[in-house]
Amino acid sequence: MLSSITSWLLHRSSYVKHLIKMCDSYTWPVPSCRMFTIALQTVKQSHFVGISSGLILVRRNMPCFLCNIYQTAYFHSSDFCFKKRKTGEEKKHKNSIHFSPKAKRKDDVIKIWKNMTVAQLAEVTHRDIDDVFEAMIYVENCNQLDSPDSEIDDIGLTHNIARKLGYRCQIVAPPVADHHKEKPYKDAVRRPPPDPSQLVKRPPVVTIMGHIDHGKTTLLDSLRHTSVVKEEFGGITQHIGAFSVKLPSGESITFLDTPGHAAFFAMRARGAHVTDIVVLVVAADDGVMEQTVESIRFAREAEVPIIVAINKMDKPAADIDRVKQGLLAQGIQLEEMGGDVQSVCVSALQGTNLNLLTDALLTQAELANIVGDPKGHVEGVVLESSLDPGRGKLSTALIQRGTLRKGAVLVAGTAWAKVRGMFDEWGNHVLAAPPSTPVQVIGWRELPAAGDEILEVESEKRAREVIHWREEQLKAAKQQEDLIVIQKKLEEHLQVYKSELQQRRQEGRSRSHSKPRTKESMDDDPRPKMSFVLKGDVDGSVEAILDILETYHSHDACRLDLIHYGVGTVTESDVELAKAFNGIIYCFNVNISKQVQVLAQEKKIKVKEFKVIYQLIDDIKESINAQLPLVDKEDILGEANVLEEFLVTEGKKKIPIAGCRCVKGVLKKDAKYRVMRREEVIHEGILLYCVNN
């Protein structure tokens, strides 16, 4: 091996000499061999500095003894000492065929989440929306995804679509919405006004309003030939009723009966705002009363015409002229007094002049040109809602536009329904409800509130979207209200903190004395508390009771704690809630099952049932008074002036006697007395002697 290397070097010595002449320093690889230096010395005119890191360093005019220093080197049997690496262009053959490399995606793994839309899937894949729809053709169960805003409910379906597009998936949580970014408006709204050529004549909606016990329900019973007033407890109307009356002439009128009690303020307001004509019932013997004035104000706010029905004209105490003067004082000028308001004197109990009243209603409807649009999506209003044990959640709705049919999807407030059935006031099935038709609707997922606007939407998905949007708006409004309260609390805290800080600085202290913070709890409130659960038959009745409770402002004396309220019968959970808070259960017009009654007795919970609203309110007042502590209060029975003082001898004692004259009230022997001279109290106590002259 050594001999072959040596001969190779001798053969190429001329080449080494040439390299030495061309550069001052050159590097040449050598084999690992101690004897290799002998062969190097045979090269004439060559000077080697030595072997460093496996390389021979060649220097001009340098001694060659340094070549023996390094013993390790690498040897390459190439003609070139420094072979240059070929570039990519040099390696290419002129006759070779080159293909363009496959383009790599920026993100082979995409993030997907549940209920993402088709548009969001196209966005995360950086693909066109048409590509996503084309991939969905080859995936099963994608028939309902027909728009970019369609949500993909199944996460597996989203994964399959992404795989068809050539992506791997990573399931993540839905992205958090940016609260600073304005959200798109997704609420359902009323349609634009219809074309006048498409409008058709519809029955007028007439609301009967007036003071309590002025004969409103009796008047409606005479028109319908029924006896609804006998079904109402206490002889007063406590619900809003909707009825369709077929007149002998063949025309129909929709009547809304509103309660006259002061508690049902909101019901009367709703009745005035959904009607075409208001019939103001005034008793001829009572005249214009408080709720009469309130009904006039509601009708004016709603800008609807008024027809006055002066009822009880057959009573001996009837004074029709006094009624007209009272109406004139409220701005109601009748036709016989030079005004434009029609008036009819009737007797609801005897049925007198009812035909004149219906003629006046039809005439007013003709003058007002009452028409409606029976086509398109339904629009209406919830008059009342209740929870029926047999049919579930149902609401009484008044259709204002469109025709309601079975299977329609409705939204009202934060509740939605797919109509499973419709009934009239008699309980008969209704197939279609055109405008001005009151119907009972079943199929609600949640119970709507009375007064909510009813709108029909395209599908259940759209209904859920609207409800979700409305709930988000309510949450945002609640957060804004809470933020105001928090800011107020913060300002109060800062005010106290700054005052304490200033006081510490004046005293020369840098820190306050640390003390444990007391826990804020309502249980430590020493004030008496009255807790209760409220359940009613319909939403309007519960609303009326809550409106009355809001007028309670004596929380400093006794705190009123409403644990829970709702529509429907009393349940076991209501009893458990009342037990947890040591409260009472108030029921208004609802039935209680025997099982719940037994449970309430075991838990020692009071369950009070009422059929008349003012009796329930009176009992709540008595319960509040029972919680209040006894207070000593002086009751002044009488006053007297001291005219003269003299002494009376009794045995060996002389007793001072004050001669008095009673100037106010009565003086009793067993009562307590206080003798005062100007503002000074001289004596206070009972009488020892009393002599009447």
Side-chain angles (χ1 to χ4, degrees):
M1 179 66 183
L2 180 60
S3 60
S4 60
I5 295 174
T6 305
S7 60
W8 181 83
L9 289 172
L10 293 175
H11 179 69
R12 288 169 172 78
S13 59
S14 60
Y15 181 70
V16 175
K17 294 177 184 179
H18 178 69
L19 293 176
I20 293 173
K21 292 180 181 180
M22 293 183 63
C23 59
D24 294 334
S25 177
Y26 191 77
T27 304
W28 189 37
V30 297
S32 177
C33 181
R34 181 184 296 273
M35 300 301 296
F36 188 60
T37 56
I38 301 174
L40 293 177
Q41 292 176 0
T42 60
V43 181
K44 297 180 180 181
Q45 300 179 4
S46 297
H47 301 282
F48 301 92
V49 175
I51 305 173
S52 175
S53 300
L55 300 175
I56 297 177
L57 301 180
V58 183
R59 292 285 185 183
R60 195 183 286 275
N61 300 324
M62 295 295 292
C64 63
F65 68 92
L66 295 175
C67 295
N68 296 323
I69 297 176
Y70 297 96
Q71 301 177 4
T72 304
Y74 297 94
F75 179 74
H76 300 276
S77 58
S78 174
D79 292 344
F80 300 93
C81 297
F82 247 146
K83 185 177 180 182
K84 185 179 180 182
R85 184 181 297 275
K86 291 183 179 180
T87 62
E89 295 294 333
E90 293 175 348
K91 291 180 179 180
K92 291 181 180 179
H93 195 273
K94 60 180 180 179
N95 295 327
S96 61
I97 301 175
H98 300 280
F99 297 94
S100 59
K102 186 177 180 180
K104 296 183 179 180
R105 298 188 184 92
K106 295 181 180 179
D107 298 321
D108 289 336
V109 180
I110 62 172
K111 296 180 180 180
I112 62 174
W113 57 88
K114 190 177 180 181
N115 295 331
M116 71 183 306
T117 62
V118 179
Q120 291 174 341
L121 182 58
E123 182 179 355
V124 298
T125 55
H126 304 285
R127 302 289 287 272
D128 190 72
I129 191 71
D130 294 333
D131 296 342
V132 179
F133 279 114
E134 185 177 356
M136 289 164 54
I137 298 175
Y138 303 98
V139 180
E140 296 180 355
N141 302 326
C142 292
N143 300 329
Q144 298 180 352
L145 305 175
D146 53 356
S147 66
D149 295 332
S150 300
E151 291 185 358
I152 309 174
D153 300 333
D154 189 3
I155 190 66
L157 191 59
T158 309
H159 183 265
N160 293 337
I161 297 173
R163 289 188 61 184
K164 288 295 181 182
L165 292 170
Y167 291 90
R168 293 178 296 168
C169 300
Q170 178 185 359
I171 301 176
V172 296
V176 180
D178 188 5
H179 297 286
H180 301 285
K181 185 178 180 181
E182 187 177 355
K183 297 181 180 179
Y185 189 81
K186 296 183 178 180
D187 197 7
V189 296
R190 286 179 174 265
R191 292 181 290 158
D195 187 2
S197 61
Q198 298 179 355
L199 301 179
V200 297
K201 187 177 179 180
R202 64 174 176 84
V205 179
V206 179
T207 300
I208 300 179
M209 304 181 69
H211 193 72
I212 184 174
D213 199 25
H214 276 200
K216 300 181 298 298
T217 306
T218 306
L219 176 62
L220 185 59
D221 286 340
S222 299
L223 293 172
R224 300 173 63 227
H225 304 288
T226 58
S227 183
V228 176
V229 69
K230 294 181 180 180
E231 300 176 3
E232 294 285 353
F233 295 97
I236 62 172
T237 302
Q238 302 179 108
H239 307 84
I240 186 168
F243 315 96
S244 292
V245 177
K246 194 79 170 179
L247 300 179
S249 60
E251 298 184 2
S252 298
I253 299 178
T254 298
F255 285 98
L256 302 182
D257 185 17
T258 59
H261 193 274
F264 299 97
F265 175 87
M267 285 191 185
R268 289 189 294 274
R270 282 195 298 271
H273 284 79
V274 300
T275 188
D276 300 317
I277 304 172
V278 169
V279 174
L280 184 64
V281 179
V282 185
D285 55 345
D286 280 350
V288 177
M289 304 296 288
E290 181 181 356
Q291 271 67 56
T292 308
V293 178
E294 183 185 81
S295 301
I296 295 173
R297 179 168 59 86
F298 286 150
R300 286 175 174 171
E301 291 177 357
E303 298 181 354
V304 294
I306 299 176
I307 296 178
V308 178
I310 303 176
N311 194 21
K312 302 182 181 181
M313 58 173 294
D314 54 335
K315 296 189 70 172
D319 190 351
I320 298 177
D321 292 335
R322 183 170 66 92
V323 173
K324 293 180 179 180
Q325 292 297 329
L327 292 172
L328 183 62
Q330 300 299 326
I332 303 296
Q333 191 172 7
L334 304 180
E335 289 180 343
E336 54 266 28
M337 303 179 70
D340 56 351
V341 178
Q342 300 183 69
S343 65
V344 181
C345 296
V346 298
S347 174
L349 192 61
Q350 303 296 331
T352 307
N353 293 338
L354 295 184
N355 57 339
L356 299 179
L357 179 61
T358 55
D359 292 341
L361 291 174
L362 295 177
T363 302
Q364 187 65 48
E366 288 291 339
L367 294 175
N369 190 23
I370 299 176
V371 292
D373 181 15
K375 299 180 181 179
H377 286 174
V378 172
E379 298 175 5
V381 64
V382 177
L383 298 177
E384 197 61 272
S385 58
S386 60
L387 186 62
D388 189 271
R391 295 182 292 181
K393 303 179 180 67
L394 59 88
S395 66
T396 302
L398 178 65
I399 309 303
Q400 297 175 325
R401 187 177 179 183
T403 301
L404 182 61
R405 293 181 174 85
K406 183 178 179 181
V409 181
L410 307 176
V411 292
T414 55
W416 70 279
K418 186 174 183 180
V419 180
R420 294 191 288 110
M422 297 180 293
F423 307 90
D424 59 9
E425 65 270 21
W426 306 104
N428 302 322
H429 284 275
V430 177
L431 300 179
S436 300
T437 304
V439 290
Q440 288 185 341
V441 179
I442 61 174
W444 294 94
R445 269 48 173 184
E446 296 292 337
L447 199 63
D452 285 346
E453 183 183 51
I454 296 178
L455 296 174
E456 183 181 0
V457 294
E458 298 83 6
S459 61
E460 296 183 18
K461 179 183 176 182
R462 172 60 178 157
R464 286 191 291 266
E465 182 183 28
V466 172
I467 298 305
H468 178 71
W469 190 88
R470 292 181 177 180
E471 290 175 348
E472 290 294 329
Q473 296 299 312
L474 293 176
K475 289 180 182 178
K478 182 66 168 58
Q479 291 174 357
Q480 191 66 26
E481 294 176 0
D482 294 342
L483 181 61
I484 295 174
V485 176
I486 292 172
Q487 292 292 342
K488 185 177 179 181
K489 289 285 186 181
L490 180 60
E491 291 176 0
E492 295 176 356
H493 170 73
L494 290 177
Q495 186 177 1
V496 174
Y497 171 75
K498 289 179 180 179
S499 62
E500 293 179 353
L501 179 61
Q502 185 178 3
Q503 183 179 0
R504 290 199 307 268
R505 288 176 176 176
Q506 292 176 356
E507 296 175 356
R509 294 186 291 111
S510 59
R511 295 184 179 180
S512 61
H513 298 292
S514 60
K515 55 183 179 179
R517 181 179 178 182
T518 58
K519 182 180 179 181
E520 297 181 0
S521 176
M522 296 297 292
D523 297 335
D524 300 334
D525 194 346
R527 296 174 299 174
K529 179 178 64 173
M530 186 245 179
S531 303
F532 64 97
V533 176
L534 176 64
K535 298 302 287 286
D537 56 344
V538 295
D539 183 75
S541 300
V542 176
E543 180 187 23
I545 298 173
L546 294 179
D547 290 341
I548 297 176
L549 296 178
E550 286 182 359
T551 61
Y552 179 77
H553 299 295
S554 301
H555 293 279
D556 295 336
C558 180
R559 186 157 54 91
L560 199 61
D561 184 16
L562 179 59
I563 305 172
H564 171 69
Y565 67 91
V567 177
T569 185
V570 180
T571 60
E572 296 180 1
S573 60
D574 297 329
V575 178
E576 296 294 341
L577 278 175
K579 177 63 177 178
F581 290 90
N582 192 21
I584 306 172
I585 300 178
Y586 282 99
C587 307
F588 181 72
N589 268 342
V590 295
N591 298 322
I592 305 176
S593 62
K594 294 183 178 180
Q595 183 179 359
V596 174
Q597 291 179 357
V598 172
L599 180 62
Q601 292 177 358
E602 294 177 356
K603 300 288 185 179
K604 298 181 180 180
I605 299 299
K606 294 182 180 179
V607 181
K608 298 184 178 181
E609 302 179 57
F610 295 93
K611 302 297 184 182
V612 182
I613 189 170
Y614 57 79
Q615 294 178 357
L616 185 146
I617 300 300
D618 292 342
D619 189 87
I620 292 178
K621 292 179 181 179
E622 294 178 0
S623 300
I624 293 175
N625 293 331
Q627 297 290 333
L628 297 177
L630 298 178
V631 179
D632 293 335
K633 183 179 179 181
E634 292 185 356
D635 188 10
I636 299 177
L637 300 178
E639 295 179 0
N641 294 332
V642 179
L643 301 180
E644 186 179 354
E645 181 182 358
F646 52 91
L647 298 177
V648 176
T649 303
E650 184 178 354
K652 296 182 179 181
K653 295 182 180 181
K654 292 184 178 181
I655 302 173
I657 301 296
C660 304
R661 176 183 294 170
C662 181
V663 296
K664 183 179 180 180
V666 178
L667 303 181
K668 296 182 178 181
K669 293 182 179 181
D670 55 349
K672 294 183 178 181
Y673 290 83
R674 180 183 295 121
V675 181
M676 300 182 63
R677 179 181 295 155
R678 297 183 179 90
E679 299 296 332
E680 181 183 0
V681 178
I682 299 175
H683 174 74
E684 186 174 357
I686 61 175
L687 289 181
L688 298 178
Y689 299 95
C690 181
V691 179
N692 296 328
N693 293 330

